[in-house]
Amino acid sequence: MEKNKTLASLQKYAMIIALIIVVAFFYWKTGGKILLPQNINNLISQNAYVFILATGMLLCILTGGNIDLSVGSVVCFAGGVGASLMDKGVNTWVAVLAMLAIGLLVGIWHGFWIAYIKVPPFIATLAGMYAFRGLSNVVLGGMTVSIDDEAFINVFGGGANCYVPDLIGNSETFNMTCMVAGIVAVVIFIGLQMKSRINSKRRGYETEAFTGVLVKMIIISAVILWAAYKLSNYKGIPTALIWILLVLLIYGYVTTKTRMGRYLYAVGGNEKATRLSGINTKSVYFFAYVNMGLLAALAGILTVARATSAQPTYGQGYEMDAIGACFIGGASAYGGVGTVPGVVVGAILMGVINQGMSIMGMDANYQKVVKGLVLLIAVIFDVVTKKEKK
């Protein structure tokens, strides 16, 4: 019993420990450059698509280790359609709705074949990867389509003004609104943690020792305040972060507080038992892939807004970044295990590796090698710890 508890704790915090080690390593190798305010901002903006796609990918993985290989192509297709519509004079927000609708339809398409026709997810989404990449080239005509709508670019994080304005202070060097937002976030976080603990005790559930909870709250609060301070020293809150937080909060709630969230874990844990208990497992698969399509479209919007253009090559390799972030963040290759906070850790770890190696001037190919090795180690760790538990 004690051994299982130790393994569970090790599995829970292993990637956080790894993240701290990786950050410390790159801080040393880059002479502290990786933690400069501008680089913290770039880490968020450049990896916004990873946070968004990995959140959707988590839902697919929870159903039994399934993945969606088409998300990179859907990012390109949705972004290409939106850029082409705006280039032809279509209203910006109509174009945005069109992009989201495309993602939703793609999710319905994949969900139908996977949930109701029983096409293996790997095959269904592999077909989608090729099909939607081809459609991207057709829509864009193999050319780059520029986006010059400032409202679209700033709202979705691609322009010079894509930051929440400082509504409190008037300093050009320190954004007080960002700092206050960080403090408010800490207060809300501590309040929610304490409320959850009180409710658990009231219902007679087993709770973690208060010392452990206190340490966790102090560490997370310190990280939030540190990040807010860093961002405050460079323009403040990027609008891309708003979209990331919105997605993380919504799907964090869905996976932990809703019936469908419980069904996702149940299907991944034992699909046959879940089906025999009266749960419609087909609707669970359908839900996972519809949401994946919708989030792929949102990632496409953020991608073309940041680049201020759409190209047929956008989104290549995005599916691997999303899958990697999930597994590195603790999602099980067998399904039924994984959390949104874990996805955040995985996405940040991959972002730190990318940025750290870029600052060091290392070849992009070596970045792929390192990410591949990190992913392999994470999956091996998952497999080994599961064997130990058995």
Side-chain angles (χ1 to χ4, degrees):
M1 181 65 74
E2 195 64 36
K3 185 179 179 182
N4 285 341
K5 285 184 177 180
T6 303
L7 281 171
S9 298
L10 181 61
Q11 190 174 24
K12 186 176 181 181
Y13 297 111
M15 287 303 113
I16 296 177
I17 295 169
L19 175 60
I20 294 170
I21 293 172
V22 169
V23 171
F25 172 76
F26 283 117
Y27 183 83
W28 168 56
K29 294 297 289 183
T30 63
K33 290 180 182 178
I34 195 168
L35 295 184
L36 290 174
Q38 184 174 353
N39 285 330
I40 299 294
N41 180 284
N42 290 338
L43 179 68
I44 294 169
S45 300
Q46 291 173 2
N47 292 280
Y49 75 90
V50 182
F51 289 97
I52 304 296
L53 293 178
T55 302
M57 194 68 70
L58 175 66
L59 303 186
C60 300
I61 291 172
L62 287 177
T63 61
N66 301 307
I67 56 176
D68 187 338
L69 292 174
S70 71
V71 293
S73 298
V74 177
V75 163
C76 186
F77 180 47
V81 169
S84 298
L85 289 175
M86 284 185 276
D87 187 55
K88 293 176 182 176
V90 175
N91 180 273
T92 299
W93 308 114
V94 172
V96 169
L97 289 175
M99 287 187 268
L100 293 175
I102 285 172
L104 196 60
L105 289 172
V106 168
I108 291 171
W109 172 261
H110 285 148
F112 171 75
W113 293 113
I114 293 166
Y116 298 103
I117 309 300
K118 295 296 182 182
V119 176
F122 183 89
I123 300 300
T125 59
L126 179 64
M129 180 178 75
Y130 287 120
F132 296 116
R133 179 63 64 181
L135 286 173
S136 301
N137 277 277
V138 171
V139 168
L140 295 170
M143 306 292 288
T144 298
V145 175
S146 299
I147 299 173
D148 55 11
D149 188 291
E150 290 188 10
F152 173 81
I153 292 169
N154 291 330
V155 168
F156 294 103
N161 298 317
C162 58
Y163 295 87
V164 176
D166 190 357
L167 304 174
I168 299 174
N170 55 8
S171 172
E172 295 182 0
T173 57
F174 191 83
N175 190 300
M176 186 58 69
T177 299
C178 179
M179 196 67 235
V180 170
I183 294 170
V184 171
V186 167
V187 172
I188 293 173
F189 167 70
I190 293 174
L192 291 174
Q193 288 293 307
M194 296 306 296
K195 181 182 177 182
S196 176
R197 182 177 176 82
I198 291 169
N199 288 340
S200 296
K201 280 196 169 184
R202 186 179 298 161
R203 293 168 183 169
Y205 298 154
E206 184 180 351
T207 57
E208 188 180 347
F210 183 71
T211 304
V213 174
L214 182 62
V215 170
K216 181 172 73 173
M217 287 194 299
I218 290 172
I219 293 174
I220 294 176
S221 297
V223 170
I224 293 173
L225 291 174
W226 173 82
Y229 176 76
K230 286 288 186 178
L231 290 175
S232 297
N233 280 282
Y234 183 78
K235 297 184 179 181
I237 304 171
T239 52
L241 180 59
I242 303 297
W243 292 106
I244 293 170
L245 291 176
L246 186 63
V247 168
L248 294 177
L249 289 173
I250 290 173
Y251 285 91
Y253 179 83
V254 168
T255 54
T256 58
K257 302 295 183 181
T258 68
R259 184 178 298 176
M260 183 55 76
R262 292 191 291 273
Y263 290 171
L264 286 166
Y265 287 97
V267 168
N270 191 323
E271 182 184 355
K272 185 177 181 180
T274 303
R275 187 171 62 252
L276 292 174
S277 68
I279 295 171
N280 185 349
T281 56
K282 292 180 180 179
S283 66
V284 177
Y285 281 106
F286 188 75
F287 174 83
Y289 281 91
V290 167
N291 278 272
M292 182 72 263
L294 184 63
L295 290 177
L298 177 57
I301 293 171
L302 296 177
T303 298
V304 296
R306 177 170 174 77
T308 66
S309 66
Q311 292 182 16
T313 57
Y314 283 177
Q316 288 184 347
Y318 279 19
E319 60 280 347
M320 297 308 166
D321 287 338
I323 294 167
C326 288
F327 288 136
I328 291 169
S332 173
Y334 303 104
V337 175
T339 63
V340 171
V343 165
V344 174
V345 173
I348 292 174
L349 181 57
M350 293 190 71
V352 168
I353 291 172
N354 283 339
Q355 192 168 64
M357 295 181 77
S358 295
I359 293 172
M360 290 171 61
M362 296 186 71
D363 191 287
N365 293 314
Y366 287 111
Q367 294 180 24
K368 295 177 182 178
V369 173
V370 172
K371 285 195 291 186
L373 291 175
V374 171
L375 174 59
L376 180 62
I377 292 169
V379 174
I380 290 173
F381 181 80
D382 174 54
V383 172
V384 171
T385 51
K386 275 186 168 51
K387 284 183 179 178
E388 289 292 331
K389 285 180 182 179
K390 291 179 180 179

